Amino acid sequence: SDRYDNEYYATSPSINPKGPASGSYRVLRGGSWYRYPLFCRVAYRGSHFPSSRDSSYGFRLVCVPQ
């Protein structure tokens, strides 16, 4: 639900940045296997309107054997 600003992360706190106080876009974190390798990184940040829908949005689960 964090708002997106292209310049925000350059000066944001390194722990739990909240995002700017206003704006229409929301942060889309992480990427998708369907996109270019650069966008697959968990550190990738993009922006979309809250009402945007796409089959490549969502979260991925990871199982680490113990």
Side-chain angles (χ1 to χ4, degrees), residues 1-65:
S1 66
D2 291 351
R3 291 184 174 92
Y4 181 85
D5 179 338
N6 194 36
E7 306 297 320
Y8 179 77
Y9 285 105
T11 59
S12 69
S14 59
I15 297 174
N16 194 22
K18 300 290 186 183
S22 64
S24 298
Y25 289 103
R26 297 295 191 266
V27 176
L28 180 63
R29 291 178 172 87
S32 167
W33 60 269
Y34 186 70
R35 305 292 181 199
Y36 298 109
L38 169 68
F39 301 141
C40 291
R41 299 173 52 237
V42 296
Y44 172 74
R45 298 291 183 266
S47 65
H48 292 276
F49 286 110
S51 60
S52 294
R53 302 291 183 261
D54 191 284
S55 61
S56 65
Y57 299 167
F59 62 93
R60 265 76 58 209
L61 300 177
V62 176
C63 178
V64 178

